[in-house]
């Protein structure tokens, strides 16, 4: 299973970006897909995720992105998006897609990671 992120870049404070993640290497549904981020000198942290089998998907967000970021599944199988609005300089980080066939009992993260995409928010 491989996860591929795209959509990172440089944006001014208050701006928006949309990250995409696509999965390859499996014919099965990846029912848990989410996002983590890692800023320089900091630990990787959970941002948002969606899990479950449609139509019973649920979403979860870190407190620091609630009301600003939205995670959603794409129409294409095994895709997930992260719409990021009202971006702040402290959102600057490498954003990683994370997934698994089902959400582990202990919760996030799943077993599979993407390579990451850089998001830089200028002040």
């Amino acid at each position: 299973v491989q996860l591929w992120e795209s959509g990172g870049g440089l944006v001014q404070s208050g701006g928006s970006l949309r990250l995409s993640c696509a999965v390859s290497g499996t014919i099965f549904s990846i029912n848990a897909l989410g996002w983590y981020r890692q800023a320089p000198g900091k630990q990787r942290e959970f941002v948002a995720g969606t899990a479950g089998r449609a139509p019973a998907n649920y979403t979860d967000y870190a407190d620091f992105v609630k009301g600003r970021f939205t995670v959603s599944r794409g129409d294409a199988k095994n895709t997930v998006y992260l719409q990021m609005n009202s971006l702040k300089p402290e959102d600057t980080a490498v954003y990683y897609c994370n997934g698994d066939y089902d959400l582990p009992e202990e919760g996030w993260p799943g077993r599979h990671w993407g390579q990451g995409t850089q998001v830089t928010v200028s002040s």
Side-chain angles (χ1 to χ4, degrees):
V1 176
Q2 293 180 303
L3 281 65
W4 306 90
E5 305 98 337
S6 61
L10 173 65
V11 64
Q12 288 188 334
S13 181
S16 298
L17 280 176
R18 187 192 196 206
L19 304 183
S20 301
C21 174
V23 179
S24 65
T26 180
I27 62 171
F28 300 107
S29 294
I30 301 294
N31 294 307
L33 279 171
W35 296 90
Y36 279 70
R37 72 184 187 185
Q38 188 167 19
K42 295 187 177 182
Q43 290 189 333
R44 193 173 296 189
E45 59 184 357
F46 176 78
V47 175
T50 178
R53 299 170 189 247
N57 291 344
Y58 89 95
T59 57
D60 194 14
Y61 295 92
D63 287 343
F64 54 78
V65 301
K66 284 182 180 177
R68 300 190 297 127
F69 292 9
T70 303
V71 63
S72 61
R73 299 297 297 255
D75 291 335
K77 185 178 180 180
N78 291 344
T79 58
V80 67
Y81 302 104
L82 184 67
Q83 178 66 43
M84 305 185 293
N85 298 329
S86 302
L87 283 161
K88 306 174 182 179
E90 50 264 44
D91 294 318
T92 294
V94 177
Y95 283 71
Y96 296 90
C97 187
N98 173 260
D100 213 326
Y101 292 105
D102 289 293
L103 190 65
E105 285 190 6
E106 61 271 26
W108 297 98
R111 292 173 293 169
H112 307 291
W113 294 92
Q115 292 299 306
T117 185
Q118 177 70 46
V119 172
T120 302
V121 184
S122 63
S123 57

